[in-house]
Amino acid sequence: MRVRLEDVARAAGVSPKTVSRVLNDEANVTARTREKVRAAIEAMGYRPHPSARSLASNRSFLVATLYDNPSSNYLTEILGGVLEACDQHRYSMLVRPLDVNAADFVARVDAFISHHRPEGLVLTPPITDHAALLARLHERGVRYASVSPIERAGRIGAFMDEPLAARQMVEHLLALGHRRIAHVVGHPAHGASRWRLDGYRAALHAAGMSCDPALVVQGDFSFGSGVTAARALFSLPRDRGPTAVFAANDDMAAGVIWTAGEHGLAVPRDVSVCGFDDTPIAHQIWPALTTVHQPSHDMGRIAALQLLEVLRGRGEGAMVQVPFALRVRESTAPAA
Amino acid sequence: MRVRLEDVARAAGVSPKTVSRVLNDEANVTARTREKVRAAIEAMGYRPHPSARSLASNRSFLVATLYDNPSSNYLTEILGGVLEACDQHRYSMLVRPLDVNAADFVARVDAFISHHRPEGLVLTPPITDHAALLARLHERGVRYASVSPIERAGRIGAFMDEPLAARQMVEHLLALGHRRIAHVVGHPAHGASRWRLDGYRAALHAAGMSCDPALVVQGDFSFGSGVTAARALFSLPRDRGPTAVFAANDDMAAGVIWTAGEHGLAVPRDVSVCGFDDTPIAHQIWPALTTVHQPSHDMGRIAALQLLEVLRGRGEGAMVQVPFALRVRESTAPAA
DNA sequence: CAGCAAATTGACAGCGCTGTCATCTGGCGC
DNA sequence: GCGCCAGATGACAGCGCTGTCAATTTGCTG
């Protein structure tokens, strides 16, 4: 049988409850006692039993990350960040893929929570803005943090100034002399789509330019939608078509580059293309993609830390802004 | 307070222990009693408390998936499969990213196990073949299943006939009339690298051809290593260089295609390129990549099911072979 | 140095379930 | 019709920890 808290207590010459206090960083333990207990724990290689802790304290020490996101790179980054935060506070992390469009979406999350009883959730787009789910979570009193939610008021988590990033991306194209700049919009359900479109418009507007509706094409963040959008753009009459395309994410940008080849256009000589997110595909295509680097790992980590702050009763949590960075690579060049 | 087992027992007019038996599918309960209890559970929406179960039965109902794999697509697929299997048997899944090259690799896994106490592990390449870790797991009596391990003897999990898949891929190139076929080898630590090289050699050998050492270049599964390898290949004298390149995975194949552009070679007109794995990048590049589809989700699921069979005392588990499929797309064409 | 409040420590019960073992029940042979 | 056995059910303790509250010690103040 492995070493229990009681064994440590005996070895340290204190009561089990005192060992428990040391373990949980509770107040009202003298430094001397604390040290004595720490030494005993160390010497005996003691590890608290998570289930016993959980049962006695009525806490699960579990955080669950909910997602319905086709981008596994983004996801892996976020999960890694959340995991890092959980490890730091000795919480475990559960993951839960979901179909946000399923009729029983809320019921499924409900069942998941009832079964696993996580203390809190980390929500990722587009789950961050599912009104019915949020209502249900409030109803059940389940705490959560959000990564890049559309509505930030009264929420905790992490976000980036996406409109500004998109605007700077477009300003980069403007500085290269491009005047007919197209935008491939992302999936309507994601707040990011709106922000990036707003940033695109803001940049054009600030440059005193109007926004040609023919150059704004709807996509859905997938490679295929980038292809479809680009086919429409590259079929425009030469003098009305784009000299640069700003796609709302890297996958669509890759689709645009793919389609440029299909239409005999060289990137960046004939057309500049840029994306958003800096996923691995950005430097796995040719030419390497100019894009916006989004610190996904950090966003996951920071969102989880806000949640943990609340769960551990250490504070209120906050909606933390994280910095972005433009990554200028080979897919953008001066306008011909 | 939520409904407990005791409440269900009272409602069903049986003892708590009997409800427990029904819950755990134990023998020696009459069909009538079982039904009565099931009805009560259903009516009251009862959910067993995982921690209490775990504490009393000295089982954690936890499976952990260990990985150190740069490919997030592969990983996401595997994790999804393992999760599906765990859900099916009401187990929870933990994930653990690791650095297999870290000096304290085994110690870290050790600590992880001590802390979380999973009942079993699902190992993914290259962790599947870390001798020191496997030794430690046997020593501690920790059960595990493996996805695509190098050494299959006495192991449980899932695998694919990789040499055969690689061979068929090369036979596809031979059928297109290619004679100077290069191979970019994968990371030396992964068994897949060896199998794919073996399949490559077997195909050439079966066609009565010798294997030109200058056409076999070492890579490490990364996009960049594909670029480096391709630069070496495309710098060979025209009559000794390859007309087709078989890269051991899709990322390297993408790197090869990237480099072809750099060298003014059109794919597939001047050179055919194919990969392995059928990751999303395969149809996110231009031209779309001919590759081998690997059912990663199923492999994760099946490996986990073998493990669960053992953990639940329902059997011995097995090393299950899963089928592959050639996906012929646009990156391969008849030799000029 | 007595007297008191605050800080520290400990005793004890119980979290919700399952393992063990005792008890009960029904069906069968003679 | 009785005894017996296997199968079905239940009583009870306890898994390893923490919450509550009581007991004890410490540190001050006048």
Side-chain angles (χ1 to χ4, degrees):
Chain A
M1 186 53 62
R2 42 183 314 132
V3 38
R4 288 156 310 147
L5 183 139
E6 190 192 334
D7 305 321
V8 175
R10 200 174 307 114
V14 298
S15 75
K17 178 66 215 187
T18 298
V19 178
S20 168
R21 273 189 267 260
V22 172
L23 231 42
N24 295 290
D25 280 325
E26 282 175 33
N28 299 336
V29 181
T30 56
R32 231 174 64 82
T33 308
R34 195 177 294 273
E35 223 21 77
K36 202 167 52 179
V37 172
R38 286 243 169 84
I41 288 174
E42 184 67 29
M44 308 177 76
Y46 169 71
R47 298 277 179 168
H49 194 303
S51 300
R53 241 154 92 88
S54 170
L55 183 60
S57 65
N58 196 28
R59 303 179 54 189
S60 65
F61 296 96
L62 237 42
V63 164
T65 303
L66 271 38
Y67 59 91
D68 175 12
N69 201 301
S71 166
S72 42
N73 298 301
Y74 177 70
L75 211 60
T76 307
E77 292 280 317
I78 296 280
L79 290 183
V82 174
L83 201 50
E84 188 181 327
C86 287
D87 278 356
Q88 192 179 326
H89 294 294
R90 306 195 139 261
Y91 267 63
S92 297
M93 182 190 75
L94 260 28
V95 298
R96 181 66 18 179
L98 293 161
D99 176 3
V100 80
N101 293 315
D104 59 350
F105 171 71
V106 175
R108 276 177 183 269
V109 177
D110 233 21
F112 170 76
I113 294 173
S114 296
H115 178 51
H116 294 279
R117 310 178 189 218
E119 287 178 42
L121 307 175
V122 174
L123 308 183
T124 58
I127 296 176
T128 39
D129 295 281
H130 192 289
L133 177 66
L134 300 187
R136 182 75 184 113
L137 294 181
H138 281 125
E139 192 180 321
R140 289 190 65 160
V142 178
R143 316 305 297 254
Y144 60 88
S146 311
V147 176
S148 302
I150 295 178
E151 186 51 66
R152 289 197 291 270
R155 309 272 290 266
I156 63 171
F159 77 103
M160 221 181 75
D161 189 342
E162 300 221 12
L164 182 62
R167 177 170 170 169
Q168 290 187 8
M169 186 85 264
V170 175
E171 283 170 351
H172 160 71
L173 295 172
L174 288 167
L176 288 171
H178 294 281
R179 288 298 171 268
R180 293 197 308 282
I181 301 173
H183 181 52
V184 184
V185 186
H187 193 289
H190 288 238
S193 305
R194 181 54 188 269
W195 293 323
R196 294 169 196 184
L197 175 59
D198 287 347
Y200 163 79
R201 285 186 174 140
L204 294 186
H205 194 258
M209 298 168 57
S210 66
C211 184
D212 182 352
L215 293 184
V216 176
V217 190
Q218 185 68 51
D220 64 7
F221 282 141
S222 72
F223 180 86
S225 76
V227 171
T228 307
R231 282 189 180 139
L233 291 170
F234 296 149
S235 300
L236 291 170
R238 185 79 184 186
D239 62 329
R240 299 196 42 237
T243 65
V245 180
F246 166 41
N249 77 346
D250 291 348
D251 281 0
M252 294 197 298
V256 172
I257 290 178
W258 189 92
T259 311
E262 194 186 56
H263 284 247
L265 297 167
V267 176
R269 197 194 60 200
D270 303 322
V271 60
S272 285
V273 178
C274 57
F276 203 109
D277 288 345
D278 197 23
T279 56
I281 198 176
H283 48 259
Q284 284 175 356
I285 57 177
W286 186 85
L289 196 62
T290 292
T291 188
V292 175
H293 177 75
Q294 181 160 200
S296 309
H297 181 96
D298 272 355
M299 293 180 79
R301 189 175 58 81
I302 290 170
L305 286 177
Q306 302 312 307
L307 177 63
L308 288 166
E309 187 181 314
V310 173
L311 297 182
R312 309 195 325 130
R314 295 295 204 273
E316 296 292 298
M319 179 53 75
V320 180
Q321 178 169 350
V322 300
F324 60 85
L326 245 59
R327 294 263 199 270
V328 177
R329 301 206 178 93
E330 285 83 46
S331 66
T332 50
Chain B
M1 186 53 59
R2 43 184 312 130
V3 40
R4 288 154 310 147
L5 183 140
E6 191 191 335
D7 305 322
V8 175
R10 201 174 305 117
V14 298
S15 74
K17 178 66 216 187
T18 298
V19 178
S20 169
R21 272 190 267 261
V22 172
L23 231 41
N24 295 289
D25 280 325
E26 282 175 33
N28 299 337
V29 181
T30 57
R32 231 176 63 83
T33 308
R34 194 179 294 274
E35 223 20 79
K36 200 168 53 178
V37 172
R38 286 243 170 82
I41 288 175
E42 184 67 30
M44 309 178 75
Y46 169 71
R47 298 278 179 168
H49 193 302
S51 300
R53 241 155 93 89
S54 171
L55 182 61
S57 65
N58 196 28
R59 302 179 56 188
S60 65
F61 297 95
L62 238 39
V63 164
T65 304
L66 271 38
Y67 58 91
D68 175 12
N69 201 301
S71 167
S72 46
N73 298 301
Y74 177 70
L75 211 60
T76 307
E77 291 281 317
I78 296 281
L79 290 183
V82 174
L83 201 50
E84 189 181 327
C86 288
D87 278 357
Q88 194 179 326
H89 294 292
R90 306 197 139 261
Y91 267 64
S92 297
M93 182 189 74
L94 260 27
V95 299
R96 180 65 18 177
L98 292 162
D99 177 1
V100 81
N101 292 315
D104 60 349
F105 171 71
V106 176
R108 275 175 183 272
V109 177
D110 232 23
F112 171 76
I113 295 173
S114 296
H115 177 51
H116 295 279
R117 308 176 190 221
E119 286 179 42
L121 308 175
V122 174
L123 308 183
T124 58
I127 295 175
T128 39
D129 295 282
H130 191 289
L133 177 66
L134 300 187
R136 181 75 185 114
L137 294 181
H138 282 125
E139 192 181 320
R140 289 190 64 159
V142 178
R143 317 303 298 252
Y144 60 89
S146 311
V147 175
S148 302
I150 295 177
E151 185 51 67
R152 290 197 290 269
R155 309 271 291 266
I156 63 171
F159 76 103
M160 221 182 77
D161 189 342
E162 300 222 11
L164 181 62
R167 178 172 169 168
Q168 290 188 7
M169 186 86 263
V170 175
E171 283 170 351
H172 160 71
L173 295 172
L174 288 167
L176 288 171
H178 293 281
R179 287 301 171 265
R180 292 197 309 282
I181 301 173
H183 181 52
V184 184
V185 186
H187 193 289
H190 288 238
S193 306
R194 181 55 187 270
W195 293 321
R196 295 168 194 185
L197 175 59
D198 285 348
Y200 162 78
R201 285 186 174 142
L204 294 186
H205 194 259
M209 297 168 56
S210 66
C211 183
D212 182 351
L215 294 183
V216 176
V217 189
Q218 184 68 51
D220 64 8
F221 283 140
S222 72
F223 181 84
S225 76
V227 171
T228 307
R231 283 188 180 141
L233 291 170
F234 296 149
S235 301
L236 291 171
R238 187 78 185 187
D239 63 329
R240 298 195 43 235
T243 65
V245 181
F246 167 41
N249 78 345
D250 291 349
D251 282 0
M252 293 196 299
V256 172
I257 290 178
W258 190 93
T259 311
E262 192 186 60
H263 284 246
L265 297 167
V267 177
R269 198 194 61 200
D270 302 323
V271 59
S272 285
V273 178
C274 57
F276 203 109
D277 287 344
D278 197 22
T279 57
I281 199 176
H283 46 261
Q284 285 176 353
I285 57 176
W286 186 85
L289 196 63
T290 292
T291 187
V292 175
H293 179 74
Q294 180 160 204
S296 308
H297 181 96
D298 272 355
M299 293 181 78
R301 189 175 58 81
I302 290 170
L305 286 176
Q306 302 312 307
L307 176 63
L308 288 165
E309 188 180 313
V310 173
L311 297 182
R312 308 194 326 130
R314 296 293 204 273
E316 296 293 297
M319 179 55 72
V320 180
Q321 179 170 349
V322 299
F324 60 85
L326 245 58
R327 295 264 198 270
V328 177
R329 301 207 178 92
E330 286 83 46
S331 66
T332 51

